[in-house]
Every structure is written in C-alpha cells, then in structure tokens.
Amino acid sequence: MTDDILRKIHTPADIKKLPKEELAPLASQIRETLVETVSQNGGHLASNLGVVELTIAIHRVFDCPKDKIVFDVGHQAYVHKLLTGRREGFPSIRTEAGLSGFPKRNESVYDAFDTGHSSTSVSAALGMLRAARLQGSDEHVVAVIGDGALTGGMAFEALNDAGDAKLPLIVIFNDNNMSISRNVGALSKSLRKARRSRGYQRFKQKTEAFLARRASWGEKTKMRLRTIRNRIKFFLLPDNAYFENFGFKYWGPVDGHDVEQLCQVLQRAKELQHPVIVHVLTQKGHGYQPAEARPDVFHGVGKFDPQTGALCSGHIKDNAAIAGETLCELAAHDPAVAVVCAAMPMGTGMTGFAQRYPERFFDVGIAEQHAVTMAAGLAARGMRPVVAIYSTFLQRAYDQILHDVCLQKLPVVFCADRAGLVGEDGETHQGVYDVAYFLSMPYIQIWSPSTQADLAAMLRAALSENVPVVIRYPRGCLPVGEACEQSFVPGKWRELMPLSDVCVIASGRVLANARCACQDLNTGLVEACTVRPMDETMLQRLRESCKRVITVEDGLASQGLGMRVTEALPGIPVIRLGVPDVPVAHAAVARQDVWCGITVQDIRSAVLNCGGANA
C-alpha cells in the first residue's frame, strides 16, 4: 500500500496545507489503511469508511484542538485518529495498551469528549460551547451525529435546548440511512424526503442572494418576501422544516463524499453566529465493496480477508443465536411472546424472529428507554415481551426498568446480551454493572447461564414467571452443555463438587474457570445459577459445612453475587473474586480476566491460600 500523502499528516494543520488534488488520493489511502487494520484487529469498519471525506473536511475547516469535535457514539472516529497524530500507532487499535476504538480524552488532546454510547454528542457539545463563552473563548464546537443516534430521545432534548440557547453550535448530521441495522421509525421516513430536497436548497440560496442585492428595499418588504419563501418551504417540504422548528438553520443535504463541497458548507457554518444543522449524505462502507454490500455485517466486524471480505469466524452458534432460535420455538406455541430490541436485531440474534413473526417484533431504534416502557405496556395487556438489548446499553434505561417494570411487577424478560467483560470495545461497553443495578430494584430475578443449554432452559422458564426476569449472558459462545430443561430450576443452585471446608461459588461464564481450578483440589464447588433468588437450602448447608467461601463472577465483586453471599453467611469469611471498582480497559477477554483476577490460576491460588489441598 502506498500512503505517501497520509504519511505527511501529523497534525490537522498538515491537512490544510494539502492542495485540492491530493485530497482524493488521501481519502483512498485512508480507506486502504482502515481495511488493512480492521481486517486484522476487528472493529467498526463500515461507519468509518463512510466518513472519510467528512472527517478530512472537518479538519480542513476547523482548528483543532482549539475547536472541539464531539463524535456521537465515537465508533466512526478512526479516521479522526489517523489525521490527528496517531497514524503510526493505528495498527494497535483495539489491542491491549493500544489505541482505543473510541475517542478518549486521555489518549489525545484532539479527543474532546469520551464517547461510546449513542445520542450524547449534542448535549456534550452544547455544554462545552456554553463553558467556552462563559470563559471568554471564541472556539467553535461541532457535534457529529448520525441518523441512527438521532432516534435517541436525549438527542432531541439537546436540540430543543440548543435551539433556544441561540449559541453558534454546529451539528453535522451524518445521514447514511442506518444505525447498525437499517433505520426504522417515522423520523427515518421523514428524512428520506429531506434527502431529495436539493432543489429547495438551491431555491433558498438564490432567494437569499436576491434579497441581499436589494439593499435599497425596506426591511418590511424583505420580511414579507422571507415569509413567502418560508410558506413555500413549509408547503412543499414540511419535513425539511423540522430542524428549523427547533431554532436551527438547516443546510443540506450535502454530498458527504465531496470534500470541496463539504468544506464550503462547513466554512459557511463556521462563520454563522447561530445554531446550524449541516445535513450530510454518506454511504456506510463507501469505497470497499464488501462493506457497501453488507454495511450491517461490517459495522462491527471481527477478522476478515481484506481482499475478498470473507469473515474469519467459524460456524459455531453464538449465545445470541441460541436466544433467538429458542424464542422462535417458544413463539410458535405461545402467541403472547413478543420481542423488543433497540436497533440491533442482528447483534442480539433476533433477525430470525423478526422474519418469522414480524407482527410480534418491535425494533424501536436507538431508544432503550422507550423500548423498556413499551414492553411494560405490552406486559400490562397480557403479552409476554422479551427485551433483547446489550447489557451496557440496557443501563441507559435504569429508571424505566425500575419505575415502569419492577414497581409494577410486570413479567418482562430482559435478555442482557454481552454481559460481563466484552473485550476490545473497552470501558464504555463492559457489561459488568448489570447485576449491581438490578439488585437495587424490587421483584426482578437475576439469572446467569453457564451453558447454552441453560440459556435456552432459562428463556423457557422466564416466560412462565409472573415477575420480571433478567437473563445475563456473555458475548460469544458458552459451552454447549446438555439440553435438559429440568436441569435448571429457578432459585436452585447446583452442587458440582461435594461441599468441604473451602467452597467455591461461581456464576455464569466464569464457572468454567472455577471448574478447571477445582478439579483436583479438595474443595466444594457450587454453581449459583441465580443471583436472585438465592438458594436458601444450599446457603444453610454452606453454613453447616464450610469454613471459608470463595465467590467468582464477571460482574462487580463489591456489588454482585459475592456481596449477597457475604450477607447471607455471617461469620464465614468470604473471598470475592470479580471485577474491581475501576474501569476495565480494552483488551482480549482473557487478558481482562487476568486484570480482574478471575483466571483458573487466580481461583486455584485463592483456594490453596484458604487452606484447600490436593484431593
């Protein structure tokens, strides 16, 4: 790969020096670098391929780091990293001690705000702009938000505030007609009309130029003409007026793959002392045919062949697929079963359910709060809704789970996919907080399968409960296990090795580590299939038999299974192995296990230190 132009870029100032004829080759070299690196490390490819020209234009027009750029979600900031002094370190992205896959303030002065979840950029950017003006700074602040993130309610709360504030906030609306899967909802349909409105924009620009040349005309005459123009706009293009109703100027749509046009529009936005929306049309996966053809697959992708786009993953069914298949089986026999997800039917394994039972499948977009309360409404009318959302995103709906589900004791089932340590996505995506926040809520049961057979059995059992249930399971593949539904009984733990003076209690994914650690030691081993309810019979036996207990979990050690066992066994020392109360950085899950002290060797050492011995 020849990357002579890219090698010249050490700071954004270098981008400003490039002649126009070098911008297209630069974009091509960036795309080659993205494909080459992500094919080896995995990561977010399609979204980054789509914003290459847009990111070049942003840095060509604005003066970072004085001007602040906030990327919504942040998964599309790889290009930004390449253009802000991190090209040489880019091959390390998403690897241990390497670059993060998301913006990080402690990684670079060019990263204005840590992001990882959706719909936060406009709020953060408005806060920065308000602070800048209070501190006497004239810096520009730009929020880059996609049409997927715009389905989140928080984005609209921020737009409402920003339009009223009248500060010169610049919001770049990156419209690729997708979030992770295809966008859904009324807003997405409305924006399709706006994408076809270039004719109106030309009419608007000519009208403004015409009025500007009529300096001798009175203001009343000009105001009347502007009113006529606005009426034409509202009559012909009511959807285009949407953002202007928030108090923003609206410019666009603009070709998001035309650097020169982008620079012209962004320069105008930079000079305007008024909040402005710049509507940019991009293609997710642009410039790499496999990603253009399957932008959903290449949104967050593992290793692949860069020449063909063929994925390197095997054919083993992952946990999400097992959950989806099981729900399809259950829905075939129970017309009350419904599935709700938040823009991620593929990631949660629910595409099959959506195809087989479209009338009972509800993808609400990136709107976790709405998803949960809507599911509560379904349950209140006798349906059996299953909410399938990643653990890290489900925490965005804490109040709705508490107020709208748990306090009413409604039988909503939560599939908390990607629970526990998630690997290379790092701090913002770790699913280690779910047990802690669910334990703060009444009535909800917390189940944790250690095998795929248990996952299926738990889904069957959960749909028979009359209380809310959360089933938390990790990314990837749990052991297959034995397909015996009776092996799981809610509230009953399993004695896998006879109780002894020292006993290990493990839950979920890390049970496999505990089993290996204890296999030749004289120690008891218990599987806590449910964190709530506790198995009172087993706890009584532990009180009678054990002198020391070790708990192992892939959630917070201070606020999960270990905490509950400690409270239930007063007088018995409990060693808690789990995730510490500090953020866990990006790396392979196996390395994160080492950092958290939950490997086979860590568990084995804990048993031996507690007085356990070889069998």
Side-chain angles (χ1 to χ4, degrees):
M1 181 187 72
T2 59
D3 60 347
D4 296 338
I5 301 174
L6 183 56
R7 288 182 182 277
K8 298 178 185 177
I9 308 301
H10 302 288
T11 72
D14 296 324
I15 303 170
K16 300 177 189 296
K17 300 174 186 176
L18 291 178
K20 292 180 181 179
E21 57 269 19
E22 290 192 351
L23 297 179
L26 172 63
S28 295
Q29 291 168 14
I30 290 172
R31 286 193 169 90
E32 290 176 18
T33 301
L34 290 172
V35 171
E36 180 180 294
T37 301
V38 178
S39 70
Q40 297 301 310
N41 297 2
H44 294 92
L45 181 61
S47 52
N48 283 284
L49 291 170
V51 298
V52 173
E53 288 84 2
L54 175 58
T55 310
I56 291 171
I58 288 172
H59 283 299
R60 200 163 167 89
V61 171
F62 294 96
D63 300 312
C64 297
K66 178 186 177 184
D67 293 337
K68 303 298 187 288
I69 313 298
V70 182
F71 291 92
D72 207 288
V73 185
H75 61 293
Q76 79 284 49
Y78 293 13
V79 186
H80 165 75
K81 293 186 182 232
L82 282 168
L83 299 178
T84 53
R86 287 170 276 183
R87 179 187 56 78
E88 291 186 0
F90 193 71
S92 72
I93 196 165
R94 301 181 78 251
T95 65
E96 183 180 346
L99 297 181
S100 169
F102 296 89
K104 296 292 180 187
R105 295 170 65 207
N106 63 5
E107 184 179 287
S108 171
V109 295
Y110 295 102
D111 291 357
F113 198 76
D114 288 12
T115 50
H117 286 187
S118 170
S119 313
T120 63
S121 62
V122 182
S123 298
L126 180 59
M128 290 178 179
L129 187 56
R130 280 178 164 149
R133 295 303 181 264
L134 288 171
Q135 295 162 0
S137 172
D138 63 351
E139 68 197 53
H140 301 279
V141 183
V142 180
V144 183
I145 184 169
D147 47 337
L150 205 61
T151 62
M154 185 176 172
F156 290 96
E157 295 172 21
L159 288 172
N160 181 58
D161 186 17
D164 185 61
K166 299 294 189 292
L167 291 170
L169 179 67
I170 300 169
V171 178
I172 298 176
F173 174 33
N174 175 32
D175 181 3
N176 58 30
N177 197 26
M178 292 194 73
S179 47
I180 296 173
S181 299
R182 289 288 175 188
N183 280 334
V184 296
L187 177 63
S188 178
K189 294 175 183 176
S190 173
L191 290 171
R192 288 175 200 155
K193 299 178 184 178
R195 294 181 191 111
R196 298 191 291 265
S197 68
R198 287 189 176 90
Y200 167 72
Q201 295 304 317
R202 288 192 293 270
F203 163 76
K204 178 180 175 181
Q205 291 165 10
K206 289 179 180 179
T207 303
E208 292 287 0
F210 175 79
L211 291 173
R213 290 195 297 270
R214 299 309 185 265
S216 60
W217 288 12
E219 277 304 312
K220 287 187 177 180
T221 303
K222 290 183 179 181
M223 286 299 294
R224 288 191 185 117
L225 287 172
R226 287 193 179 98
T227 300
I228 293 171
R229 181 206 67 192
N230 288 335
R231 285 178 179 173
I232 291 172
K233 171 178 66 179
F234 277 79
F235 178 73
L236 295 177
L237 295 162
D239 301 295
N240 253 31
Y242 186 85
F243 293 111
E244 297 198 7
N245 286 337
F246 275 100
F248 281 76
K249 295 288 186 183
Y250 171 88
W251 291 346
V254 182
D255 184 350
H257 301 297
D258 184 330
V259 176
E260 187 170 354
Q261 185 182 8
L262 285 167
C263 287
Q264 290 172 358
V265 174
L266 293 178
Q267 185 61 44
R268 286 178 59 208
K270 182 178 177 181
E271 295 166 358
L272 186 69
Q273 293 302 306
H274 194 279
V276 59
I277 297 272
V278 179
H279 187 176
V280 176
L281 302 183
T282 61
Q283 179 189 27
K284 204 167 183 180
H286 187 77
Y288 182 59
Q289 196 280 327
E292 289 181 3
R294 294 296 307 276
D296 51 350
V297 172
F298 282 87
H299 171 81
V301 68
K303 292 183 179 182
F304 64 94
D305 183 339
Q307 300 301 317
T308 65
L311 305 183
C312 299
S313 56
H315 300 288
I316 301 174
K317 291 180 182 178
D318 65 8
N319 302 329
I322 296 298
E325 290 179 3
T326 303
L327 287 171
C328 283
E329 295 170 8
L330 295 169
H333 302 288
D334 186 351
V337 174
V339 168
V340 181
C341 78
M344 304 183 75
M346 176 175 286
T348 56
M350 299 300 156
T351 51
F353 191 100
Q355 292 165 358
R356 288 179 61 179
Y357 306 103
E359 74 285 354
R360 287 188 271 160
F361 176 78
F362 308 99
D363 182 355
V364 302
I366 303 179
E368 294 86 0
Q369 294 172 305
H370 165 57
V372 170
T373 301
M374 197 271 288
L378 287 169
R381 287 286 294 161
M383 297 292 288
R384 298 307 304 247
V386 177
V387 178
I389 298 178
Y390 291 2
S391 170
T392 184
F393 301 137
L394 191 57
Q395 67 199 25
R396 293 161 62 89
Y398 177 93
D399 183 64
Q400 287 67 35
I401 299 170
L402 172 62
H403 184 273
D404 299 330
V405 176
C406 292
L407 292 183
Q408 299 186 74
K409 207 173 182 179
L410 289 169
V412 176
V413 177
F414 296 97
C415 284
D417 198 345
R418 268 66 166 178
L421 297 165
V422 297
E424 290 82 0
D425 282 338
E427 300 98 323
T428 55
H429 285 61
Q430 303 291 10
V432 300
Y433 304 103
D434 48 13
V435 173
Y437 66 76
F438 280 119
L439 282 174
S440 69
M441 302 180 188
Y443 305 124
I444 191 166
Q445 297 194 8
I446 306 168
W447 303 353
S448 190
S450 61
T451 66
Q452 291 186 346
D454 266 353
L455 172 56
M458 287 182 178
L459 280 167
R460 297 185 182 99
L463 288 169
S464 300
E465 295 289 324
N466 291 317
V467 295
V469 175
V470 57
I471 304 172
R472 61 184 307 270
Y473 48 92
R475 182 178 189 173
C477 303
L478 287 166
V480 174
E482 296 182 6
C484 177
E485 183 176 344
Q486 296 304 314
S487 66
F488 170 73
V489 178
K492 294 298 180 182
W493 294 358
R494 296 176 179 138
E495 182 179 346
L496 303 180
M497 295 175 64
L499 302 189
S500 183
D501 286 351
V502 179
C503 187
V504 175
I505 304 175
S507 178
R509 173 183 71 86
V510 293
L511 176 71
N513 289 357
R515 194 191 293 267
C516 289
C518 298
Q519 63 183 355
D520 61 348
L521 297 179
N522 185 18
T523 181
L525 178 61
V526 172
E527 178 186 359
C529 314
T530 58
V531 178
R532 180 196 280 164
M534 303 275 274
D535 186 338
E536 295 300 333
T537 300
M538 181 65 73
L539 289 170
Q540 182 57 38
R541 292 184 58 208
L542 288 166
R543 293 184 194 104
E544 296 169 354
S545 304
C546 297
K547 296 179 181 178
R548 291 180 181 272
V549 169
I550 299 164
T551 60
V552 190
E553 57 195 310
D554 63 348
L556 294 180
S558 63
Q559 301 178 59
L561 173 67
M563 177 191 72
R564 298 212 79 202
V565 170
T566 300
E567 293 171 347
L569 301 177
I572 297 178
V574 177
I575 308 299
R576 306 182 199 176
L577 303 183
V579 179
D581 290 332
V582 294
V584 179
H586 57 282
V589 171
R591 289 294 297 160
Q592 292 172 340
D593 281 354
V594 172
W595 299 342
C596 295
I598 54 176
T599 66
V600 171
Q601 187 57 49
D602 292 319
I603 300 167
R604 187 176 182 85
S605 296
V607 171
L608 294 173
N609 289 338
C610 286
N614 292 329

